[in-house]
Amino acid sequence: MAFTEPVLLKRIPQDPSKRKVFWYDDYVATGGYSALKKATTMTGDDITKVVTDSGLRGRGGAGFSTGQKWAFIPKERKGPHYLAVNADESEPGTFKDRYLIDYDPHQLLEGIAITAIATQCDIAYIYIRGEYHRQAKVLERAIAEAYAHEIFGRQGIFGSNTKLECYVHRGAGAYICGEETGLLESLEGKRGWPRNKPPFPAIAGAFGRPTVINNVETLCCVPHLIERGPAWFKTMGTPKSAGPKLYGMSGHVNRPGVYEDELGITLQYSIENLAGGMKGGKYKAAICGGISMGVLGPNELEVKLDFDDVRFRGGCLGLGTAGMIVLNEHTNMVAALRNCVRFYAHESCGQCTHCREGSAWMHKILSRILDGGGRASDLDMLLELEKTQGIMPGTTICGFADGTAWATRTFINKFYEEFAALCPEEPRVQLTIRRGTQNVAVPMGSNTR
Amino acid sequence: MVAAPVVNITVNGKAISARPGQTVLQAAADAGIEIPALCNHPHLRPEGSCRVCLVEIEKQRTLQPACTFPVADGMVVQTESAKAVESRKMVLQMIFSERSHYCMYCQMSGTAQSTDCELQKLGYRYGLNHWSYGPNYAKNWPIDATRTHFVMDHARCILCRRCVRACQQIAANHTLGVQQRGFKTMICADDNVQFGESSCVSCGTCLQVCPTGALADRRSAYRGHESEVTRTKAVCLGCSVGCGIEAITRDNQLLRVEGDWKAGNEGMLCSVGRFDVVEPKPVRIMWPMVRTDGRLVETSWDKALTFAAGKFRQAHRVAGLASPRLPNEALAAFACFFHEVLMSNEVGLLYGEDPPLELGQPAVLHDVAASDCIVIIAGNPMKQQKVVGHLIKRAYDNDARIIVVNDRPTELDSYAHLRLQLQDVSYHGESPFEQLKNTYHLRGTGVSQLKAAVEAAQRPVVLYGGGLTTTVYAALRALPAKVHFLPLINGTNAAGAARLGLRPRPVHGEALYVMVGDDLPDGMVLPHRQFTLVQSAYRSAWTESADVVLPAMIWAEMKGHMINIEGRSLPVAPLLVAPKSVHACWETLLQLSMRIGYSLSFDEISDISKAVV
């Protein structure tokens, strides 16, 4: 278990003044596309096996085994297969994919080409976030280079049988299009509304055909894996969360930025060694993987940042994208949660009732707490809303509402005193209302809250 | 014989045999277990977004939407478990809280037994007697009243999007959509224009599927709950399609018309069939009228008929014109009256065109929607047979090939994969001269294109209008046998009239008998004669020019049969009771014939029906 040299960021130095875009020639000169050459001599099943053996888990947030995902694609071809690359990086606090595309676009393209061989894909769509103008341009140029050097195009990848076309598709600014089926709908030119599952994208994805959807960072790991093998990959990280990981450090830290380390470093280590320590005050909390994953509290500095420890010891939904927002002791946690929930209320796609209304209600209630109108019942209402939404209780189509729920749950549970201080117990007048033959005691104002 | 595969599931402890591919909700509904749902509608593809239908399924980690979850063998479902009910109550609270649902001011509102609102019904069922989350009074929800026939009140919308799906999947009009996202989501038309200015064709399908009072019909709102009205299945007499309707009546008044889901039109209607029938009409004629000193004066039936009979007896030749909107029985009696009583052959239809000849295998309406290649030759279904037009658009959405052959522009041109002129499909026979002409003028190239397209298709349908030349007919007859043909007949019962030998034609005679039923002139002028008798339900320019006017029944009061474009004989059932002083056409003719001195040979309407059908 050791992380000795940068893997994904080997062409991107820490010093901003030394960074430059690695176009095709530079990329090949630094050992690029050798993994792809090797992959063209392998069968799809072999590649999938290498990826499965390595224990590579999706870096987009859910942490699902990449090899398993590829194995779901039907072996029998009855039409085109698609590869959708999820570069719709919209999770607040996450900016790792942008960094990879910014300086090392061919690493991604090489990963795409190898994945296409493994899953017999004919067309790869890079669905990139609408706001990533520069990155889209970088990709366009890199793809043009790849076409010119016989990676993409009709002649097949380096003349092999796998023919792959690659396109950049730019999003139109909705967070929900980063959800895989929302992404597919958007890709098809429809409204970005997540689909009911089953069928899963591996069976009926883009245009009703089998589709692989992978995150940019996941695909960037693939060339290194092919080149150096699963055993090397497993030397990094923990047994269940292997490999390198990009940590997007932001918030109250001295050196915010994207840092690479292995999975399973502690929160303390990431703040002290990667981000250069706290800024402006002592550590209070950290949002560990984009706001949807929830928050780590003051006594959770020893939690390991991998797919499991954050969940089981940290009480979060998962590691997510490892976009860390570190908060210092002067942060108002109620305001921080309101800020998060405002994002959800704004970005909910509006399809399922719980999410559409629940997120709006959470924002409404938190705003009134912050504005000084908090009531004792407000926290109960927030927790009731939080418990009844998401795919975990089964009340929504996609996992968006789980994110809302988890942020709210962890914020309130871990900083209960801060919230309770703003929600004073109010004097309650009991009214007796005659309703039919029953006398019902109703606290005053209960139907106007 | 192989038994149909069965999936055995248990719902609420009851063993159910479901068909594979069914959803839990469908299987339960077939067994009489109602799982509440708001966004689901039996005739729309399920979307699973309202989350009211969440049920507990054993071995599933979480609650699952019954409307999208497919059945599997051995599945055990609890629809009313504590967990499911708790979740359902929460959804209902959320829905009630999102807009200002003032139930007491809504035309759908009622008691637990009488409410028409599906949301309110669930509110009662799950005992929602107060709100934890208050309604959203703060926002001024817009009301869009720019459409002629119905109103959209966004405050009552629950965003189930049944209307959006109905617009896409049933009407294939794609007008309705959704704008914004999250709690700002709103139903909108086109690029968020007002409904009245949008591409909406007012077919009203959205109105029929709306579960709440968000879409309200102007004419029937506040005129009675579902429990107080009578629903009668009938046939629309608006055009020759003969759509199945469900007429909603109360106190001998027609409140509203809905499409019959089980008929060939599959729930779809056009604005004529759904809304025009309940729009205000001209003054109804209740008693016979005779022109005295230049004015029409009301008189008794006896006097008017005796007067008219005298005029007809005097006349050398009497001509007759009938509206093609009348049912077979009225038309048969009319033709009989002229042939047998007045000994005149000068009888025809008031307007319309000769119905096209019958060709090949007849198609039914469903064939159009399910077709993969549709040829439309002459005729304009988007104008004349609107429901057929929508079925064509639906087939287009399912990747059917559309070929339009017409000399004039039609509404379907923009859907056409191939657009031809009539002369392109004029088939020239086998004579050497014709062959030579083909070679030199390259005429008839369309025939081969048409043939190729039809041959490549699995279920081709040809829709053809009237007024085709024999050469075009020849080309159509030469198409392969798998083609189904549907004639686009103009005039509601023109097909029935043609079978009785009544065709639109100029008629001659010094006296004229015009039987218009509830038809209106729409600018058409009657030929001037010495004596004119008009039998009409409404006062119009036609009756103003008549010497004698007799009252007639309107479509909803008539009884009989009509023949639609599929060639099917459809029963026309009376929905309303006619005023006492208004008689059926055949009765009037019987009375008139007796006064002329030669009685017609029928006493009952069934006598005519037997003779005609």
Side-chain angles (χ1 to χ4, degrees):
Chain A
M1 184 170 159
F3 182 77
T4 48
E5 44 163 355
V7 180
L8 301 171
L9 298 187
K10 77 175 187 184
R11 295 182 185 84
I12 312 176
Q14 278 298 329
D15 184 357
S17 62
K18 288 180 188 151
R19 289 179 202 155
K20 60 161 191 164
V21 187
F22 273 64
W23 297 114
Y24 184 82
D25 294 337
D26 300 331
Y27 185 69
V28 171
T30 49
Y33 286 119
S34 56
L36 180 58
K37 288 220 170 75
K38 188 177 170 191
T40 51
T41 62
M42 296 164 76
T43 66
D45 288 348
D46 289 345
I47 300 173
T48 308
K49 190 169 181 306
V50 169
V51 175
T52 312
D53 289 348
S54 74
L56 172 64
R57 291 170 71 171
R59 304 297 199 230
F64 191 78
S65 161
T66 306
Q68 271 186 39
K69 199 183 225 178
W70 293 1
F72 289 146
I73 299 289
K75 296 276 173 287
E76 212 177 312
R77 275 173 61 92
K78 287 179 188 159
H81 290 185
Y82 295 104
L83 168 64
V85 183
N86 191 343
D88 190 70
E89 188 179 46
S90 327
E91 182 70 30
T94 309
F95 40 91
K96 62 187 176 61
D97 297 345
R98 184 181 71 184
Y99 198 61
L100 287 171
I101 296 170
D102 251 342
Y103 299 106
D104 202 358
H106 281 285
Q107 185 177 223
L108 171 62
L109 298 187
E110 190 174 2
I112 289 171
I114 296 170
T115 310
I117 296 171
T119 55
Q120 301 176 300
C121 288
D122 306 72
I123 298 175
Y125 293 104
I126 305 176
Y127 188 97
I128 190 164
R129 179 179 172 172
E131 289 89 337
Y132 283 3
H133 306 278
R134 181 177 178 274
Q135 289 71 19
K137 279 185 186 160
V138 168
L139 275 178
E140 294 277 10
R141 184 172 155 188
I143 289 171
E145 285 183 332
Y147 269 101
H149 291 91
E150 303 201 334
I151 293 157
F152 301 139
R154 281 157 183 265
Q155 78 291 331
I157 298 172
F158 292 134
S160 73
N161 287 331
T162 311
K163 296 177 180 62
L164 179 65
E165 304 287 332
C166 185
Y167 304 101
V168 173
H169 183 103
R170 296 187 59 190
Y175 171 70
I176 199 62
C177 293
E179 200 274 347
E180 54 181 15
T181 52
L183 183 149
L184 294 177
E185 287 282 299
S186 175
L187 191 65
E188 290 178 9
K190 300 176 192 156
R191 198 180 158 85
W193 270 355
R195 299 173 182 169
N196 275 296
K197 284 153 269 189
F200 287 92
I203 308 299
F207 311 104
R209 301 293 316 156
T211 304
V212 192
I213 305 172
N214 278 131
N215 178 258
V216 170
E217 192 188 341
T218 317
L219 291 176
C220 286
C221 289
V222 173
H224 302 285
L225 251 174
I226 297 300
E227 206 168 349
R228 301 167 82 167
W232 160 80
F233 197 78
K234 279 192 160 173
T235 60
M236 290 172 286
T238 61
K240 284 195 167 175
S241 311
K245 180 82 193 82
L246 298 188
Y247 295 94
M249 307 296 295
S250 61
H252 300 140
V253 289
N254 284 321
R255 278 194 331 223
V258 178
Y259 298 93
E260 188 179 18
D261 212 303
E262 60 183 346
L263 279 161
I265 57 171
T266 62
L267 177 59
Q268 173 114 41
Y269 179 88
S270 73
I271 296 171
E272 299 301 329
N273 296 41
L274 300 182
M278 291 301 300
K279 185 180 169 186
K282 276 192 271 178
Y283 165 83
K284 180 177 191 178
I287 291 166
C288 63
I291 58 174
S292 301
M293 297 296 132
V295 69
L296 289 172
N299 44 16
E300 285 164 339
L301 274 168
E302 287 311 310
V303 169
K304 282 187 190 167
L305 299 177
D306 64 18
F307 291 109
D308 303 310
D309 207 39
V310 176
R311 229 167 108 199
F312 298 123
R313 268 201 321 164
C316 290
L317 196 53
L319 179 62
T321 56
M324 316 275 290
I325 305 172
V326 185
L327 306 173
N328 70 14
E329 58 188 334
H330 306 299
T331 315
N332 179 347
M333 295 311 279
V334 185
L337 178 59
R338 201 250 314 243
N339 201 11
C340 294
V341 168
R342 185 172 61 188
F343 173 79
Y344 291 116
H346 182 249
E347 291 292 347
S348 167
C349 80
Q351 210 177 175
C352 309
T353 313
H354 286 90
C355 173
R356 180 178 70 222
E357 301 310 322
S359 55
W361 267 104
M362 283 184 181
H363 181 234
K364 204 169 169 180
I365 294 170
L366 281 164
S367 296
R368 100 177 151 213
I369 293 175
L370 268 180
D371 295 345
R375 303 160 195 173
S377 54
D378 278 353
L379 291 186
D380 296 341
M381 280 175 83
L382 279 173
L383 290 172
E384 183 193 11
L385 282 168
E386 163 273 294
K387 267 194 204 74
T388 48
Q389 64 169 314
I391 43 174
M392 302 210 161
T395 53
T396 53
I397 291 173
C398 79
F400 179 97
D402 290 315
T404 325
W406 233 267
T408 311
R409 177 179 304 179
T410 49
F411 265 87
I412 296 181
N413 286 341
K414 293 181 183 177
F415 301 93
Y416 191 82
E417 285 71 29
E418 244 180 272
F419 283 84
L422 289 173
C423 301
E425 194 71 43
E426 58 198 309
R428 287 192 161 199
V429 184
Q430 294 284 323
L431 285 183
T432 305
I433 295 175
R434 181 169 276 279
R435 206 173 263 153
T437 52
Q438 285 174 299
N439 288 332
V440 185
V442 178
M444 194 171 178
S446 72
N447 58 351
T448 54
R449 58 187 181 173
Chain B
M1 201 179 124
V2 185
V6 165
V7 180
N8 292 309
I9 64 167
T10 313
V11 181
N12 295 351
K14 184 179 170 187
I16 289 177
S17 307
R19 293 193 303 279
Q22 270 189 319
T23 63
V24 173
L25 190 133
Q26 286 166 344
D30 286 353
I33 299 169
E34 194 207 339
I35 301 176
L38 287 173
C39 72
N40 188 62
H41 188 275
H43 300 278
L44 298 171
R45 284 198 285 277
E47 192 172 68
S49 66
C50 75
R51 316 307 274 186
V52 171
C53 68
L54 293 179
V55 292
E56 216 172 331
I57 299 174
E58 265 180 31
K59 290 178 196 151
Q60 290 293 327
R61 201 163 45 92
T62 57
L63 296 174
Q64 294 294 337
C67 70
T68 58
F69 205 83
V71 291
D73 216 25
M75 187 181 265
V76 180
V77 183
Q78 290 294 333
T79 70
E80 303 291 326
S81 70
K83 204 170 148 194
V85 167
E86 190 195 6
S87 152
R88 210 163 287 155
K89 277 186 178 175
M90 191 69 187
V91 192
L92 291 172
Q93 285 205 28
M94 292 275 102
I95 293 175
F96 271 112
S97 81
E98 71 179 329
R99 306 259 159 120
S100 47
H101 287 281
Y102 274 117
C103 285
M104 55 288 230
Y105 293 111
C106 181
Q107 80 278 3
M108 306 285 267
S109 170
T111 63
Q113 284 76 38
S114 75
T115 174
D116 296 344
C117 173
E118 294 181 33
L119 177 64
Q120 200 187 28
K121 202 178 275 173
L122 291 183
Y124 279 121
R125 178 165 163 184
Y126 289 100
L128 248 70
N129 51 15
H130 74 287
W131 281 310
S132 289
Y133 303 86
N136 200 344
Y137 295 143
K139 189 165 173 198
N140 223 347
W141 299 99
I143 295 179
D144 192 324
T146 52
R147 266 184 293 206
T148 321
H149 302 293
F150 55 110
V151 179
M152 168 93 199
D153 182 353
H154 288 280
R156 292 167 187 168
C157 175
I158 58 167
L159 296 174
C160 66
R161 298 186 297 283
R162 279 190 196 176
C163 53
V164 178
R165 281 175 289 153
C167 199
Q168 289 171 358
Q169 296 166 17
I170 297 179
N173 210 48
H174 303 277
T175 296
L176 294 180
V178 176
Q179 58 148 329
Q180 284 286 4
R181 62 177 181 233
F183 62 99
K184 290 181 185 160
T185 310
M186 295 266 265
I187 302 295
C188 71
D190 294 339
D191 296 336
N192 196 20
V193 297
Q194 290 193 314
F195 287 108
E197 292 158 12
S198 68
S199 59
C200 172
V201 292
S202 286
C203 67
T205 314
C206 50
L207 182 71
Q208 191 169 326
V209 297
C210 181
T212 67
L215 285 166
D217 179 9
R218 285 184 198 251
R219 295 279 160 208
S220 70
Y222 299 103
R223 289 181 70 182
H225 283 122
E226 193 65 46
S227 53
E228 293 153 334
V229 299
T230 316
R231 276 179 180 264
T232 321
K233 290 209 175 180
V235 173
C236 173
L237 294 183
C239 75
S240 54
V241 181
C243 292
I245 56 169
E246 268 197 287
I248 287 95
T249 54
R250 186 187 182 189
D251 300 337
N252 205 28
Q253 284 183 5
L254 183 64
L255 302 187
R256 190 167 79 241
V257 171
E258 287 185 357
D260 183 356
W261 293 109
K262 293 196 174 114
N265 49 314
E266 294 165 31
M268 179 86 221
L269 288 180
C270 67
S271 62
V272 176
R274 197 187 295 269
F275 297 117
D276 286 1
V277 287
V278 286
E279 285 298 301
K281 291 284 185 293
V283 180
R284 182 87 193 259
I285 295 166
M286 303 300 281
W287 287 97
M289 292 186 284
V290 174
R291 194 167 291 278
T292 322
D293 303 332
R295 278 176 58 238
L296 283 173
V297 179
E298 276 191 5
T299 176
S300 71
W301 270 100
D302 187 50
K303 276 185 186 158
L305 286 175
T306 313
F307 178 71
K311 287 281 183 188
F312 283 157
R313 254 203 311 258
Q314 284 165 19
H316 173 60
R317 198 159 51 164
V318 184
L321 289 172
S323 158
R325 256 174 81 91
L326 293 166
N328 288 344
E329 280 75 0
L331 292 170
F334 193 67
C336 251
F337 177 74
F338 274 82
H339 295 318
E340 292 178 21
V341 180
L342 297 174
M343 304 296 178
S344 163
N345 279 329
E346 293 298 323
V347 54
L349 289 183
L350 194 50
Y351 59 86
E353 56 186 27
D354 264 346
L357 302 175
E358 284 176 23
L359 284 169
Q361 290 185 65
V364 294
L365 291 178
H366 183 73
D367 293 342
V368 179
S371 172
D372 56 351
C373 177
I374 298 179
V375 185
I376 305 129
I377 298 183
N380 189 355
M382 284 314 291
K383 271 236 168 80
Q384 315 281 0
Q385 297 87 7
K386 290 183 185 172
V387 169
V388 175
H390 286 290
L391 294 179
I392 295 171
K393 281 169 62 170
R394 210 193 292 178
Y396 173 84
D397 285 351
N398 295 329
D399 296 334
R401 232 179 126 69
I402 309 287
I403 301 166
V404 176
V405 188
N406 206 320
D407 290 348
R408 272 168 294 183
T410 72
E411 273 81 353
L412 286 167
D413 286 357
S414 54
Y415 293 83
H417 297 94
L418 182 62
R419 182 71 173 82
L420 298 170
Q421 300 290 310
L422 277 171
Q423 63 165 20
D424 299 335
V425 295
S426 297
Y427 184 77
H428 293 277
E430 295 303 311
S431 81
F433 174 69
E434 295 289 358
Q435 280 177 0
L436 202 67
K437 210 162 123 196
N438 279 346
T439 327
Y440 281 98
H441 299 282
L442 288 173
R443 292 185 74 190
T445 48
V447 178
S448 53
Q449 281 176 296
L450 208 61
K451 257 190 184 167
V454 165
E455 257 157 25
Q458 305 278 319
R459 302 170 298 279
V461 173
V462 173
L463 311 174
Y464 59 107
L468 296 178
T469 59
T470 46
T471 50
V472 176
Y473 275 125
L476 295 182
R477 286 212 175 86
L479 291 177
K482 64 182 170 184
V483 180
H484 286 66
F485 289 93
L486 192 70
L488 297 171
I489 301 168
N490 285 339
T492 307
N493 194 20
R499 289 194 192 178
L500 294 163
L502 294 173
R503 295 175 181 286
R505 52 172 279 222
V507 287
H508 308 285
E510 55 267 40
L512 181 66
Y513 185 166
V514 189
M515 196 157 81
V516 296
D518 61 351
D519 236 338
L520 290 167
D522 200 16
M524 209 180 102
V525 185
L526 289 180
H528 185 72
R529 298 293 147 87
Q530 281 173 18
F531 173 77
T532 311
L533 186 157
V534 174
Q535 189 172 9
S536 166
Y538 301 114
R539 288 190 85 129
S540 65
W542 286 340
T543 60
E544 291 316 300
S545 68
D547 298 297
V548 173
V549 176
L550 298 177
M553 286 184 173
I554 61 165
W555 71 277
E557 294 160 355
M558 285 192 258
K559 194 174 173 221
H561 294 82
M562 72 160 276
I563 292 173
N564 77 340
I565 51 172
E566 301 164 306
R568 283 193 299 140
S569 174
L570 302 169
V572 177
L575 307 166
L576 306 173
V577 182
K580 271 189 185 149
S581 57
V582 176
H583 305 305
C585 294
W586 66 271
E587 281 179 276
T588 314
L589 290 165
L590 188 65
Q591 292 293 325
L592 198 56
S593 69
M594 285 197 277
R595 279 171 179 77
I596 290 173
Y598 180 93
S599 178
L600 283 167
S601 55
F602 48 76
D603 306 317
E604 285 290 329
I605 188 161
S606 52
D607 295 344
I608 321 175
S609 301
K610 263 181 239 154
V612 177
V613 182

